[in-house]
Amino acid sequence: MMTTTLAAWMTTLRHQLHAHPELALQEVATTALIKQTLTELNIRLVDYPGETGVVAEIGHGAPIIALRADIDALPIQEDNELSFRSTIPGRMHACGHDFHTAALLGGARLLKVHEADLNGTVRLIFQPAEEGHRGAKMMIDNGVLAGVRAIAGFHNMPNLPVGTLAMKSGPLMASNDNFDVTILGQGAHAAMSEASHDPIVTLGELISNLQTIRSRNIAPDAALVLTIAAVQAGTTFNVIPNTANLRGTIRTFNTAKRDLAKVRFYDIVRATAKMNQQTATID
């Protein structure tokens, strides 16, 4: 099999997937395309009870080695002129799961050619709902790792040179805790700010105060990041709103630091809101 032929085949699949992104646990057409492609390659499908997601196998017997890719997209509007851009408003393969899926299908095609040479079984796992952190647990609960001796998951890394594979010992992907905070204050006309409990002021203070978790509670050489990635408040220039909202994520490799960051997060949000005569809900 010529590498260029395989590359062109994978690229076509990737473009097809990219043009038709589906969100977590809604990957119905994606699942159907994966199954169709595997069937065309004469790769046996394994019964899997989930409505989305695919499991297949190449080879026979032990040991069983698993290869895993994620298949879901993100709720993001794609704004470019690519010929294969998303055809679904508000949805986009912005994290590369279309590439991951095409890459695993390409691996499946190569492995199928060499199936007679395999000493054991390769289990292919196409996981739904990586975004939102539900899909892996669902698949594990449905037994997809039964008998598996080792598993390789992978993710694109745009800052690596094309054609490079990278591995490391120890933790690679951090824990991920997302937060959604709504500050409840008291709105007023902008010219009568004394009548308000301004949630935008509190929002601004929180953007700064929450950074002290990283800078003052976590050692400088420890890995933890707290990012506020979305803020929203108000709709016009002369009205102080009743509420303000911020959203973001905390990521780390260490359980104790993860727990500490969460405790400090709640303390800082609640204390800052109370200082400004407001309340805050934390999801």
Side-chain angles (χ1 to χ4, degrees):
M1 180 183 302
M2 295 295 292
T3 303
T4 53
T5 302
L6 177 62
W9 181 82
M10 292 167 63
T11 299
T12 298
L13 279 171
R14 186 250 164 167
H15 288 178
Q16 187 173 352
L17 291 161
H18 189 91
H20 302 90
E22 296 175 298
L23 301 181
L25 301 181
Q26 300 175 21
E27 314 95 331
V28 175
T30 302
T31 293
L33 177 61
I34 294 168
K35 288 183 176 180
Q36 175 187 339
T37 304
L38 293 170
T39 300
E40 290 172 353
L41 294 172
N42 293 317
I43 294 173
R44 67 181 181 277
L45 301 176
V46 176
D47 288 338
Y48 176 68
E51 293 184 13
T52 61
V54 180
V55 182
E57 289 184 345
I58 302 169
H60 300 277
I64 301 174
I65 307 299
L67 301 176
R68 169 266 186 198
D70 36 24
I71 67 174
D72 55 327
L74 284 163
I76 296 175
Q77 178 65 35
E78 183 163 15
D79 185 16
N80 59 50
E81 299 302 321
L82 293 173
S83 61
F84 55 91
R85 64 184 177 273
S86 173
T87 60
I88 304 176
R91 300 181 188 178
M92 178 187 178
H93 270 297
C95 199
H97 297 185
D98 53 334
F99 160 67
H100 299 166
T101 302
L104 187 52
L105 288 169
R109 177 171 163 173
L110 279 174
L111 286 165
K112 182 63 179 179
V113 172
H114 299 283
E115 184 171 24
D117 301 322
L118 295 178
N119 181 25
T121 302
V122 176
R123 182 171 296 165
L124 310 170
I125 300 173
F126 295 86
Q127 179 203 311
E130 190 274 340
E131 307 294 349
H133 329 300
R134 292 171 290 174
K137 186 177 187 303
M138 291 174 60
M139 295 201 91
I140 292 170
D141 290 344
N142 282 322
V144 301
L145 294 186
V148 171
R149 178 176 295 182
I151 181 169
F154 60 93
H155 202 289
N156 70 85
M157 186 67 68
N159 60 346
L160 290 176
V162 173
T164 300
L165 286 174
M167 299 179 68
K168 70 181 291 287
S169 60
L172 177 62
M173 305 300 285
S175 63
N176 179 20
D177 292 299
N178 298 329
F179 54 82
D180 189 331
V181 176
T182 298
I183 305 158
L184 179 60
Q186 174 62 54
H189 193 284
M192 295 181 286
S193 57
E194 76 283 359
S196 75
H197 298 306
D198 191 342
I200 296 179
V201 172
T202 304
L203 186 152
E205 291 175 352
L206 281 176
I207 291 173
S208 296
N209 293 347
L210 287 171
Q211 298 307 315
T212 64
I213 296 174
R214 178 66 191 89
S215 66
R216 292 297 179 267
N217 299 131
I218 306 296
D221 60 347
L224 183 140
V225 63
L226 186 153
T227 297
I228 296 171
V231 296
Q232 193 281 324
T235 58
T236 189
F237 63 91
N238 63 346
V239 177
I240 296 170
N242 289 318
T243 63
N245 176 267
L246 63 85
R247 289 175 288 165
T249 185
I250 301 173
R251 304 189 181 209
T252 185
F253 292 137
N254 181 280
T255 300
K257 291 178 176 58
R258 181 187 186 193
D259 292 341
L260 173 61
K262 187 173 183 179
V263 169
R264 292 294 297 132
F265 183 92
Y266 273 82
D267 288 346
I268 290 170
V269 170
R270 288 169 174 167
T272 304
K274 183 177 181 180
M275 179 182 71
N276 289 310
Q277 299 176 280
Q278 297 161 39
T279 59
T281 61
I282 304 169
D283 182 8

